[in-house]
């Protein structure tokens, strides 16, 4: 198994312009309501775009599915196709290869940008992104989900978000700010990416894992 999600901690840097998470104790152990045991109850205040997170269609389309409505078949035991583009900032459709190979797959784009995680450079300009034609090709290929280890799947220096509009408009979730994609094998891995089933939210942090079972045909 390979961990593909960043841990969330109090006060960590978050998506530019959004507040970082606050993790605090709601009831300390000495105030536990039960007499014969003590325990800690923690509270978290954070935006949905924290750490490694998933975008549901409602993130960009008001009538789209929210996090709780995401189909599990797009998020659990999905065969992975890796797209390797380290050192490439503008990722075009030429990297996708045969569209037939992508049908129903989890397409994960390994850019190497996650190496900057935790530093101001991660949130600065120049992050890798996909051009809109890539999203169009992925929609046509009927992929299950698309992930990237960069700040954003779109170019945040521009006011438009063509990949978000196209993919989410087709019901295809997007996972952003992944990590450890270099450790995912090119073939034979499967994806588990399960957020809490939050109603009314278009984005939410999630635990993402790639796993291999050589007894299962990929």
């Amino acid at each position: 198994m390979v961990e593909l999600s960043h841990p969330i901690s109090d006060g960590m840097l978050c998506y530019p312009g959004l507040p970082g998470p606050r993790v605090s104790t709601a009831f300390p152990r000495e105030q536990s309501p039960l007499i014969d045991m003590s325990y800690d109850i923690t509270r978290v205040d954070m935006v949905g775009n924290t750490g490694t997170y998933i975008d549901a269609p409602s993130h960009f389309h008001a009538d789209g599915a929210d996090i709780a409505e995401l189909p599990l078949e797009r998020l659990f035991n999905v065969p992975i196709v890796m797209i390797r583009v380290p050192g490439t900032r503008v990722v075009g459709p030429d990297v996708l290869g045969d569209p037939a190979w992508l049908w129903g797959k989890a397409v994960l784009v390994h850019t190497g940008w996650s190496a900057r995680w935790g530093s101001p450079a991660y949130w600065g300009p120049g992050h890798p992104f996909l051009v809109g034609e890539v999203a169009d090709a992925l929609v046509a290929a009927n992929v299950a989900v698309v992930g990237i280890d960069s700040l954003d799947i779109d170019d945040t220096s521009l006011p438009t978000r063509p990949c978000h509009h196209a993919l989410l408009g087709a019901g295809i979730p997007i996972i952003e700010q992944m990590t450890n994609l270099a450790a995912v094998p090119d073939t034979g891995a499967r994806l588990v990416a399960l957020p809490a089933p939050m109603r009314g939210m278009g984005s939410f942090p999630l635990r993402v894992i790639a796993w291999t079972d050589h007894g299962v045909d990929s």
Side-chain angles (χ1 to χ4, degrees), residues 131-179:
V131 299
E133 290 80 3
V134 176
D136 294 337
L138 293 172
V139 169
N142 190 39
V143 303
V145 60
V146 180
I148 192 170
D149 60 354
S150 181
L151 171 67
D152 197 293
I153 201 169
D154 278 304
D155 183 359
T156 55
S157 69
L158 300 176
T160 57
R161 298 290 187 271
C163 291
H164 278 84
H165 279 288
L167 293 169
L168 299 179
I172 300 171
I174 300 168
I175 303 172
E176 293 176 311
Q177 300 182 22
M178 304 180 76
T179 190

Side-chain angles (χ1 to χ4, degrees), residues 55-67 69-70 135 139 154 161-174 200-203:
D55 289 337
S58 67
H59 180 50
F60 264 63
H61 304 280
D63 58 348
D66 62 15
I67 293 295
E69 296 168 326
L70 287 174
V139 169
D154 278 304
R161 298 290 187 271
C163 291
H164 278 84
H165 279 288
L167 293 169
L168 299 179
I172 300 171
I174 300 168
M201 293 194 71
S203 302

Side-chain angles (χ1 to χ4, degrees), residues 9-217:
S9 58
D10 179 63
M12 63 182 277
L13 291 175
C14 197
Y15 197 94
L18 298 180
R22 305 306 307 179
V23 182
S24 60
T25 299
F27 291 96
R29 295 185 183 278
E30 59 270 19
Q31 296 179 10
S32 300
L34 298 181
I35 296 176
D36 58 348
M37 66 179 67
S38 66
Y39 52 85
D40 176 71
I41 298 179
T42 306
R43 65 184 300 161
V44 180
D45 182 6
M46 65 182 179
V47 297
N49 302 63
T50 298
T52 302
Y53 60 90
I54 190 167
D55 289 337
S58 67
H59 180 50
F60 264 63
H61 304 280
D63 58 348
D66 62 15
I67 293 295
E69 296 168 326
L70 287 174
L72 288 178
E73 58 266 25
R74 291 186 178 274
L75 306 176
F76 183 78
N77 196 28
V78 186
I80 293 173
V81 170
M82 292 300 307
I83 304 297
R84 310 275 185 194
V85 290
T88 302
R89 179 169 184 259
V90 182
V91 181
D94 57 300
V95 303
L96 298 179
D98 183 1
W101 174 239
L102 306 177
W103 193 271
K105 302 295 201 310
V107 178
L108 305 184
V109 183
H110 170 217
T111 71
W113 195 253
S114 62
R116 296 168 171 79
W117 182 262
S119 72
Y122 185 89
W123 312 100
H127 69 85
F129 62 91
L130 310 184
V131 299
E133 290 80 3
V134 176
D136 294 337
L138 293 172
V139 169
N142 190 39
V143 303
V145 60
V146 180
I148 192 170
D149 60 354
S150 181
L151 171 67
D152 197 293
I153 201 169
D154 278 304
D155 183 359
T156 55
S157 69
L158 300 176
T160 57
R161 298 290 187 271
C163 291
H164 278 84
H165 279 288
L167 293 169
L168 299 179
I172 300 171
I174 300 168
I175 303 172
E176 293 176 311
Q177 300 182 22
M178 304 180 76
T179 190
N180 291 336
L181 290 185
V184 180
D186 289 334
T187 60
R190 290 176 176 263
L191 184 78
V192 177
L194 297 176
M198 299 293 296
R199 296 195 181 278
M201 293 194 71
S203 302
F204 202 75
L206 78 170
R207 190 77 179 264
V208 195
I209 296 170
W211 63 279
T212 58
D213 182 344
H214 295 296
V216 177
D217 183 11

